[in-house]
Amino acid sequence: MIDQRLLRTDLDGVRTALARRSSPKLIDDVEHAARLDERLLDIQRERDDIRARVNAVSKDVGMLRRDGKIDEAEALQAQSRELGASEKTLASEHDEVSAALDELLLGIPNLPHPDAPDGASDADNPVVIGPINLRDDYPAHQRVPHWETADALGILDNERATKISGAMFTMQRGAGATLARALCQYGLDLNADVHEEVRAPSLVSTATLTATGQLPKFADDAYAIERDDLWASPTAEAPLTSIYAHETLDDTELPIRLMAHSASYRREAGSAGRDTRGMLRSHEFDKVEMMAYATADQAPDLLDDMVARAERAMAELELPYRVIEICTGDMGQSHHRTYDVEVYAPGADAWLEVSSVSWLGDYQARRAGIRVKRHDADGKPIKGTEYAHTLNGSALAVPRVWAAIIENYRNDDGSVTVPEVLHPYMRNITLIS
C-alpha cells in the first residue's frame, strides 16, 4: 500500500500522481482516506488529553483521601469514571476508523513512477524496443491458428481437458506436453546465473495474496479453498513475495533474486468468450517467475536487467517480439513501473503478452512488512529501518509462447520445427509431425 504518512505530508502530490491513472474515483478514495487519517490523529489527541486528566485526577483523589476529604475524593473518582467511559468510546471509534482506513488503503493503487508514460488505456502503451524478427509478410501456412495445427498434430486436447475439469482448461499431449515442459526448463536455465530456484507452495494464505495486491481487489479472479482459508496461487509472485514477510533484511544481502516454476490458477472471471480457443487464455497454466528484493537505489537497474532477460528468451527462441512500456492508465494496481514483452502470432494475427516485468516500489513490502536495515559507507548500521522494494516478472509463460512457436515455426506440410535452443530439452524431438 502507499505510505500513509503521505496523506498528511503530501496529499496534493498523491492526488497528482493518482490522477495519472485516469480513474477519478481514486481521488475521492484518497481524500476520504486523508479525512479518516486526520480523524485518527484527532482521536489520539483526545485520548492523550483524557489520559492526562485521569492521571491528574488520580493524584488529586489520593491527596484528598490522605487529608480525610472523602466526599470530595469520591466526587473526583466519579469524574474519573466518566473520563474512562469517554476513552472507551474513543477507543471503539478508533478501531472502527482504523479498520475503514486500512480497507481503503488496500484498494488504493501504487503511485506511478514519474517517468512512466501517461495514457488512458492499453492503446496508449508505447513500443520501446522492436519489433524484432517481424517479417514483412507471412506465407499462408504460417497464418493458420495454433489450435488448428495442434489439433491436426494431436498435441493439444482441450476437448478432453474440458471433460476432466470444465471449460477453459487445456491439456497438451505427446510432443506438445514435452514442448511445454521444455519451455519451463529453458526459462529456469536461462536465469539460473543470478536467480535462486525455489519450489514454493501452490496453495497460499489470504495474507500472502493480500501482500502482493491480489486481495481484496481481485478476489473474483482467484480460486478459493474456503475450508482451509487458502487460495490456489495465481502466480509464483505471490509465495515468492511473502518468503520474507515480517522480516528485516540486511542491505548487505541485497539484492535477493529468486525464481520459481509453478502452475498458475486464475478464474479469468471477466474474460468469458474472449481468447478461449487454443492456449491463449486458460484457468491453469505453467510459467517461470522472476522475483527480486532490493533497496530503492538498486531497483532501477534490476528492472532493466529483468526486462532484458525476458527479451532475451524471445530473441533466443527467434520469435518476432517487441517491448512496450505500460502507461499509467493501463498499469496494474501494485505497479510503479512496468514493461511487457509481446510476441507476434501470425495465425492469430495478434501481439500476445508473454512477459510482464514490474517494479513495485515499496508497495508490496508495506503490505507484507518486509523491512531493510541500512548501513553507512563505513559499514555502521543506520538507525531505524525502511521498507524493501520488490520487482517481479515472467521469465517465460508457457501458453502464449507455446502458441507463438506453433504458428511461427509451422511448415507448409503442417509439421512444426522445434526452435533450436529447445533441442536439449526435447528428448531428440526436432520436428513435430
Side-chain angles (χ1 to χ4, degrees), residues 229-341:
D229 190 26
L230 292 171
W231 304 75
S233 177
T235 166
E237 171 196 347
L240 291 182
T241 300
S242 284
I243 284 180
Y244 294 104
H246 308 296
E247 295 186 30
T248 298
L249 304 174
D250 194 299
D251 65 347
T252 60
E253 302 171 340
L254 299 179
I256 295 173
R257 306 192 208 191
L258 308 172
M259 64 177 180
H261 161 229
S262 71
S264 299
Y265 301 90
R266 300 180 188 177
R267 294 179 60 87
E268 300 282 8
S271 63
R274 293 191 298 121
D275 297 335
T276 55
R277 302 183 70 181
M279 292 276 285
L280 298 187
R281 193 179 294 273
S282 61
H283 290 318
E284 178 185 2
F285 60 94
D286 285 336
K287 74 183 175 99
V288 176
E289 187 79 3
M290 295 181 288
M291 165 76 198
Y293 296 86
T295 61
D297 50 306
Q298 292 170 336
D301 287 342
L302 284 170
L303 178 65
D304 291 343
D305 178 73
M306 291 169 72
V307 172
R309 288 173 178 277
E311 180 189 354
R312 178 186 167 192
M314 298 307 104
E316 290 191 357
L317 287 167
E318 299 185 71
L319 291 170
Y321 74 90
R322 67 185 183 184
V323 180
I324 64 173
E325 183 168 5
I326 303 303
C327 72
T328 53
D330 190 37
M331 197 174 281
Q333 169 163 319
S334 302
H335 299 168
H336 183 49
R337 194 170 192 182
T338 300
Y339 295 88
D340 282 2
V341 179

Side-chain angles (χ1 to χ4, degrees), residues 27-59:
I27 307 305
D28 294 337
D29 288 346
V30 166
E31 291 176 348
H32 186 195
R35 291 192 295 271
L36 292 176
D37 181 65
E38 180 60 31
R39 180 55 189 150
L40 284 179
L41 293 176
D42 288 341
I43 291 172
Q44 189 59 51
R45 284 191 286 265
E46 291 175 36
R47 292 177 72 182
D48 289 345
D49 179 63
I50 287 174
R51 287 167 181 165
R53 291 166 62 188
V54 168
N55 288 336
V57 167
S58 296
K59 292 179 181 179

Side-chain angles (χ1 to χ4, degrees), residues 119-139:
S121 70
D122 57 359
D124 300 318
N125 294 333
V127 177
V128 294
I129 297 175
I132 307 293
N133 295 332
L134 184 67
R135 299 175 60 163
D136 294 331
D137 190 27
Y138 284 83

Side-chain angles (χ1 to χ4, degrees), residues 146-269:
H146 69 275
W147 54 86
E148 293 183 10
T149 300
D151 183 63
L153 294 173
I155 60 174
L156 185 64
D157 193 351
N158 287 358
E159 182 177 348
R160 289 186 175 87
T162 299
K163 179 173 66 175
I164 295 168
S165 301
M168 290 183 65
F169 282 89
T170 67
M171 182 166 66
Q172 305 86 43
R173 300 185 65 168
T178 305
L179 177 61
R181 177 191 49 74
L183 286 169
C184 293
Q185 190 60 57
Y186 166 66
L188 290 169
D189 288 355
L190 193 62
N191 297 289
D193 56 327
V194 296
H195 290 264
E196 175 193 350
E197 184 174 357
V198 177
R199 177 58 181 96
S202 298
L203 301 181
V204 297
S205 68
T206 296
T208 295
L209 283 196
T210 301
T212 48
Q214 273 91 5
L215 293 180
K217 184 174 182 180
F218 301 108
D220 288 344
D221 281 327
Y223 280 98
I225 298 94
E226 296 177 358
R227 176 178 173 179
D228 301 298
D229 190 26
L230 292 171
W231 304 75
S233 177
T235 166
E237 171 196 347
L240 291 182
T241 300
S242 284
I243 284 180
Y244 294 104
H246 308 296
E247 295 186 30
T248 298
L249 304 174
D250 194 299
D251 65 347
T252 60
E253 302 171 340
L254 299 179
I256 295 173
R257 306 192 208 191
L258 308 172
M259 64 177 180
H261 161 229
S262 71
S264 299
Y265 301 90
R266 300 180 188 177
R267 294 179 60 87
E268 300 282 8

Side-chain angles (χ1 to χ4, degrees), residues 73-85:
E74 290 180 351
L76 280 181
Q77 279 188 317
Q79 181 181 342
S80 178
R81 286 192 291 271
E82 290 176 2
L83 290 171

